[in-house]
Amino acid sequence: MNVALGVGGGIAAYKAAELARALMERGFTVEVVMTRAAEEFIRPLTFAALTGRKVHTHLFSAASAEDTLASAIEHIRVAQENQLLVVAPATADLLAKFTHGLADDLLTTTYLAFTGTVVLAPAMNTNMWNHPASQTNMQVLRGRGHVVVEPGEGLLACGMIGPGRLAEPDQIADAVLAASKTKKPRRDLDGETILITAGPTQEPIDGVRYLSNRSSGKMGYALAEEAVARGARVTLISGPVNLPAPLGATLVPVRTALEMRQAVMDRLSEATIVVKAAAVADYHIPNPSKQKMKKTAARLSLDLEPTPDILAELGAKKGDRLLIGFAAETDNMVEEARRKLQQKNCDMVVGNVVSHVVSHVASQQGTGFESDENEVVLVTRAGETIPVARASKRAIAGRIFDEAMRLRLALHASR
Ligand SMILES: Cc1cc2nc3c(=O)[nH]c(=O)nc-3n(C[C@H](O)[C@H](O)[C@H](O)COP(=O)(O)O)c2cc1C
């Protein structure tokens, strides 16, 4: 298997020579790409002698236009001919460039052109590593599915003690070997624009009180994370929840059912798939008081009006889009899910058993609203009823998209 080894301009660049050897000892063919700064720390000749191959240093190194054509465009060739791209040491500068897609030298252009597995071994001064800019960049890069070989702690070249030291070459080479055996995650949602709704809505009663439900938003957020990981552009329209925004998704926070409806309709035209996982209130108080209502001895009745049926409206306007609804039911779940599918013109309804939510300790063992796990039945327009055994919400999200993509093919074929 071929590995492109990108060497950044850090003090640990000399250890990349040991890494090249360690990779070769594990059976990899190694092709080295150095940054200009890396050449300040170690000579290309060292890598050329170790690997027996030409070392690439400059984006515009070809002597003439004819040479360029003869050798193909170097960064594209390096990206195509190698199955893994290992960057060690990954400098703070390279992490920032990768994060933002800057492409001003051979290594950064190769990174952008590369579609295989990326392994990053960062190394830098402790303060540089701990800086929020570096940590945010790492979060983004991890979110892209890159393998990160964490820097070790210890005495650094700058005299500081702390994290930032390049991991040992053998440790990095072992991580590359493990990554080479791991199947790359699917990118089958590439090109899709997916609109996902999540969480509860809050319907004001007065200036301080509201009606809501026990939806935690976890299912919708898991769907968003799964869709991003599989290559989709994702907009997540979320009611109030206590969850971190999924990396890579555009988060649109809303509060009420009316706000949720507006946010969905505003973005419908760009969507190829709509997943309505939110638990939208069925009723609201049309003109709630802005002041806090005073407590009195008298009984209080709330005059509730139905909220707009967003799913039904989507069903009427959906065109070729895949429309996936959720039915959280306590009884007759499959029948209710099928009724919803037909009445609202959905392609799939995810039937969600929420019988436990009346229990106060339900979230500990249950499935449904507040749990990290779920157990669902997928009811499809093709007439199928597909039970999905209890699993994490992320795994359930994966299964929902698997079945949705299969269903779309089946529906197209039957037209
Ligand atoms: C002596 C010296 C040591 C350096 N060590 C590191 C380092 O370990 N990690 C790092 O991120 N930057 C380090 N730098 C800064 C980088 O060399 C600088 O950010 C450079 O632009 C990185 O270029 P590159 O990202 O193209 O490799 C060091 C600079 C000097 C002068």
Side-chain angles (χ1 to χ4, degrees), residues 405-415:
M405 299 316 276
R406 197 189 47 73
L407 178 67
R408 175 144 74 190
L409 282 179
L411 293 177
H412 273 291
S414 67
R415 272 188 200 147

Side-chain angles (χ1 to χ4, degrees), residues 107-121:
L107 182 52
T108 48
T109 43
T110 301
Y111 170 80
L112 281 189
F114 188 72
T115 56
T117 303
V118 176
V119 180
L120 301 172

Side-chain angles (χ1 to χ4, degrees), residues 7-13 34-41 87 89-97 104-105 107-108 122-125 128-129 134 156-158 164-166:
V7 183
I11 198 89
M34 298 176 72
T35 64
R36 214 178 275 270
E39 285 185 78
E40 298 285 338
F41 294 89
V87 184
T91 57
D93 176 63
L94 283 174
L95 298 178
K97 284 178 171 166
D104 62 355
D105 68 3
L107 182 52
T108 48
M124 66 200 72
N125 160 278
M128 288 171 80
W129 174 248
S134 300
L156 304 181
C158 55
R165 207 174 138 134
L166 185 72

Side-chain angles (χ1 to χ4, degrees), residues 1 60 69 255 279 306 330 367:
M1 202 174 254
F60 302 106
L69 288 178
R255 187 170 172 222
T330 48
T367 59

Side-chain angles (χ1 to χ4, degrees), residues 10-343:
I11 198 89
Y14 72 96
K15 283 199 193 168
E18 279 178 57
L19 174 59
R21 263 185 105 122
L23 288 168
M24 290 165 70
E25 280 166 13
R26 286 162 180 77
F28 292 106
T29 303
V30 180
E31 184 167 25
V32 175
V33 178
M34 298 176 72
T35 64
R36 214 178 275 270
E39 285 185 78
E40 298 285 338
F41 294 89
I42 182 166
R43 309 243 326 132
L45 187 60
T46 306
F47 292 109
L50 283 172
T51 62
R53 301 186 66 180
K54 184 173 174 231
V55 172
H56 311 284
T57 49
H58 299 120
L59 189 56
F60 302 106
S61 61
S64 66
E66 289 75 32
D67 283 354
T68 303
L69 288 178
S71 63
I73 299 172
E74 205 66 346
H75 61 280
I76 304 294
R77 188 197 56 73
V78 174
Q80 283 172 348
E81 289 183 5
N82 289 284
Q83 288 77 49
L84 292 115
L85 172 62
V86 184
V87 184
T91 57
D93 176 63
L94 283 174
L95 298 178
K97 284 178 171 166
F98 292 163
T99 300
H100 296 286
L102 266 66
D104 62 355
D105 68 3
L106 189 60
L107 182 52
T108 48
T109 43
T110 301
Y111 170 80
L112 281 189
F114 188 72
T115 56
T117 303
V118 176
V119 180
L120 301 172
M124 66 200 72
N125 160 278
T126 301
N127 289 347
M128 288 171 80
W129 174 248
N130 286 338
H131 195 285
S134 300
Q135 289 305 311
T136 306
N137 292 340
M138 288 310 299
Q139 228 186 335
V140 172
L141 294 167
R142 283 194 187 95
R144 283 181 202 161
H146 298 344
V147 176
V148 177
V149 188
E150 298 289 336
E153 291 203 22
L155 179 63
L156 304 181
C158 55
M160 268 185 130
I161 297 176
R165 207 174 138 134
L166 185 72
E168 289 309 314
D170 274 330
Q171 192 191 339
I172 302 171
D174 285 342
V176 175
L177 190 61
S180 72
K181 292 178 181 158
T182 312
K183 257 179 77 193
K184 258 205 93 192
R186 276 170 307 162
R187 303 282 293 176
D188 60 338
L189 299 179
D190 231 332
E192 304 286 350
T193 300
I194 308 187
L195 202 55
I196 298 171
T197 69
T201 60
Q202 291 179 354
E203 309 303 329
I205 297 173
D206 65 11
V208 296
R209 303 179 177 93
Y210 57 78
L211 294 171
S212 192
N213 60 62
R214 299 176 66 149
S215 167
S216 64
K218 286 179 182 169
M219 190 64 236
Y221 277 58
L223 283 157
E225 282 163 12
E226 176 72 12
V228 168
R230 283 163 71 166
R233 273 183 58 203
V234 177
T235 301
L236 177 63
I237 301 173
S238 174
V241 295
N242 283 316
L243 296 172
L247 276 174
T250 304
L251 181 68
V252 181
V254 296
R255 187 170 172 222
T256 64
L258 289 181
E259 287 173 15
M260 180 150 302
R261 182 201 159 272
Q262 195 58 48
V264 171
M265 295 308 159
D266 285 350
R267 290 161 184 83
L268 180 62
S269 63
E270 66 206 35
T272 56
I273 300 177
V274 182
V275 190
K276 282 220 67 262
V280 181
D282 291 329
Y283 296 92
H284 72 147
I285 298 169
N287 292 304
S289 149
K290 295 220 169 18
Q291 273 71 48
K292 183 181 173 209
M293 286 190 294
K294 292 271 176 279
K295 182 179 176 183
T296 66
R299 286 177 69 98
L300 174 71
S301 300
L302 296 175
D303 191 16
L304 301 176
E305 221 176 57
T307 53
D309 189 335
I310 308 175
L311 192 58
E313 194 175 343
L314 285 171
K317 293 183 180 167
K318 79 180 205 70
D320 277 345
R321 292 174 193 88
L322 269 186
L323 178 59
I324 304 173
F326 272 68
E329 303 293 341
T330 48
D331 309 287
N332 302 330
M333 196 255 292
V334 174
E335 296 76 45
E336 281 306 309
R338 190 153 295 289
R339 187 190 56 77
K340 201 164 184 175
L341 179 105
Q342 274 148 11
Q343 280 185 358

